[in-house]
Amino acid sequence: MAIYIALGSNLGNKEKNLQEALRLLQKKGIQVVAVSDFITTQPYGVTDQPEFLNAVAEIKTEKPPVELLYVLLETEQEMGRRRIRRWGERNIDLDLLLYDGQIIDLPDLKVPHPDMQNRDFVLRPLAQIAPDAVHPVLHNTIRGLWEELAAKMK
């Protein structure tokens, strides 16, 4: 079972925030299998804010997708995340990207993450740890999606 989450931070000690989120998830029974490099990226959507530090982690859990979402949201809250504006500043952001090839379309949860194919800060680190993972809707590998996006960004 391959499950991938995105991590991001652009407030405070960004590296420490990402490490703390991973630590808290492990404390909650989420096994961290692999973590990409931490990469510095420009803000997406709302650009008048500090640079982000982003990463992707492969995790293992017996929790079903909605329960995992609640663990991610609970972890953000525990770390003091405040939602001030959409796509705005945050000390931690945890997003469920892919869950074992499933397609989930619920009011509070969309998997695969609906905009991941347009986000360098998701595809670049995901391609580092799971280049051959397949996007279940677009039927393309993560490497392929990232190469397409990188060509558009030139």
Side-chain angles (χ1 to χ4, degrees):
M1 182 181 296
I3 304 168
Y4 299 94
I5 60 169
L7 302 95
S9 175
N10 75 337
L11 292 176
N13 184 330
K14 301 170 204 177
E15 187 170 336
K16 185 174 175 236
N17 291 340
L18 298 186
Q19 291 169 339
E20 177 68 2
L22 291 168
R23 188 189 71 75
L24 287 171
L25 290 172
Q26 289 182 89
K27 195 173 155 188
K28 295 173 188 200
I30 308 289
Q31 181 186 349
V32 177
V33 177
V35 180
S36 71
D37 290 341
F38 291 180
I39 60 168
T40 300
T41 62
Q42 295 304 309
Y44 179 86
V46 177
T47 57
D48 63 334
Q49 59 181 320
E51 289 180 328
F52 276 83
L53 194 62
N54 293 98
V56 169
E58 179 181 354
I59 62 169
K60 281 195 174 157
T61 181
E62 296 300 314
K63 296 178 188 318
V66 172
E67 196 176 321
L68 175 58
L69 172 67
Y70 291 133
V71 169
L72 297 177
L73 293 172
E74 174 187 88
T75 303
E76 288 179 345
Q77 200 168 24
E78 229 175 281
M79 289 183 65
R81 171 156 181 193
R82 292 189 6 225
R83 294 176 188 272
I84 299 161
R85 60 181 174 158
R86 183 172 180 186
W87 292 344
E89 304 81 355
R90 64 208 76 169
N91 65 319
I92 192 65
D93 185 32
L94 302 172
D95 287 328
L96 180 53
L97 300 174
L98 297 168
Y99 191 102
D100 198 33
Q102 292 186 35
I103 299 170
I104 302 163
D105 189 5
L106 299 170
D108 293 335
L109 179 61
K110 310 270 188 248
V111 176
H113 190 285
D115 199 34
M116 66 183 277
Q117 68 274 10
N118 299 313
R119 297 178 175 189
D120 173 65
F121 62 89
V122 169
L123 292 178
R124 191 168 16 139
L126 184 54
Q128 187 181 73
I129 63 170
D132 299 323
V134 175
H135 190 291
V137 173
L138 301 175
H139 307 291
N140 195 350
T141 63
I142 298 306
R143 179 191 295 113
L145 291 172
W146 184 69
E147 287 171 353
E148 285 175 15
L149 182 62
K152 284 183 204 169
M153 292 170 34
K154 284 184 180 176

